[in-house]
Amino acid sequence: HDAERLQRVAEQARDEAERAHRRTARLQALTAALAETRTVDDVAAVVVAQAVEATGASTGMLALLDAGAEEATIVRQTGLGPVIPTQYQRFPLSSPGTTARCLRTGEPQWVESREALLAEHPEIAPYIEDLQLEAVATVPLVVDDAVVGAMAFTFAEPHAFPVIERELFLAVGRQTAQALERARLIDA
C-alpha cells in the first residue's frame, strides 16, 4: 500500500508540475501577444481569445469604464451569444452581477458554483440559467490605482479557483491594464 500511495503522490506532483508549466507557457504567450498590440481593440481581442483558451473558460468578456465612470461598455466577448452583448453592451455600474460589482469595488470576484452565483445575484437568474453558468472569475483592470475596466470569464461546470489560478487571472488583469494604458498613450 505504501508503494501505491507513493506512486499516487508522485503522479499528483507530476500533474501539478505539468499544469504549472502550461500556465507559465500560456502567460508568456499572452505577454508576447500583448506586447504586439497597439490599439484598445487589439488588446481586447488578444486577451479575450487567449485567456479563454488558457483558462478553459466557456466565455470571456472585457468591459471598460466609460468616461463618466457611471457606465461600462463591453468591448469584446466570446461565447456569450447575441443577447448579452446586444442588450447589455453598455451597462450602469449599479447593475447586478460580478462585472459591475468588480468595477464598483475594484475587487476580483470568484464565484465557484451556480448556487453561489444565484445566491449572490438572484436578479440575473434568467441569464445564469440561459448561459448555463456554473462559475465566474472577474478581475479588475487597474491603471495608476484607478479601475479602468474588468475581465469576466465563465465556466460551464462548477470551478474551484485555487490560489495559483487566481494569481494567473490577476496577472493577466495586470498585463491587460498595462497594455490598455500603452494603447491609449499610443492613440493620444
Side-chain angles (χ1 to χ4, degrees):
H1 295 307
D2 286 340
E4 289 175 5
R5 189 174 326 137
L6 284 175
Q7 184 176 356
R8 280 194 308 272
V9 168
E11 287 173 3
Q12 288 173 341
R14 268 194 310 275
D15 289 348
E16 181 53 38
E18 188 175 310
R19 282 192 297 274
H21 175 72
R22 284 194 307 267
R23 278 191 298 270
T24 300
R26 289 182 206 129
L27 193 54
Q28 288 173 340
L30 179 60
T31 301
L34 283 174
E36 300 295 320
T37 61
R38 297 289 177 257
T39 67
V40 169
D41 194 51
D42 290 346
V43 172
V46 164
V47 167
V48 169
Q50 289 201 15
V52 165
E53 182 180 331
T55 61
S58 300
T59 71
M61 183 266 294
L62 188 141
L64 297 177
L65 284 175
D66 294 342
E70 295 300 319
E71 289 189 324
T73 300
I74 297 173
V75 294
R76 182 66 62 135
Q77 65 83 26
T78 186
L80 289 174
V83 173
I84 299 290
T86 302
Q87 289 183 359
Y88 298 99
Q89 182 174 11
R90 290 178 58 102
F91 59 92
L93 297 189
S94 59
S95 298
T98 61
T99 303
R101 181 185 289 169
C102 181
L103 289 166
R104 285 192 307 270
T105 65
E107 296 294 323
Q109 306 292 304
W110 316 104
V111 186
E112 298 181 339
S113 70
R114 180 181 296 205
E115 293 77 22
L117 196 56
L118 288 168
E120 289 183 39
H121 304 284
E123 57 281 344
I124 61 169
Y127 301 106
I128 293 169
E129 298 298 330
D130 286 349
L131 294 172
Q132 298 189 0
L133 303 183
E134 292 290 341
V136 179
T138 307
V139 296
L141 306 175
V142 180
V143 174
D144 296 330
D145 297 325
V147 176
V148 298
M151 298 184 314
F153 301 94
T154 69
F155 297 81
E157 296 179 6
H159 188 91
F161 296 101
V163 171
I164 193 155
E165 190 171 5
R166 289 178 185 211
E167 289 172 356
L168 173 68
F169 277 109
L170 294 170
V172 170
R174 285 189 297 275
Q175 289 184 351
T176 301
Q178 291 170 356
L180 287 168
E181 182 63 8
R182 186 180 63 251
R184 288 181 177 162
L185 290 172
I186 290 170
D187 188 46

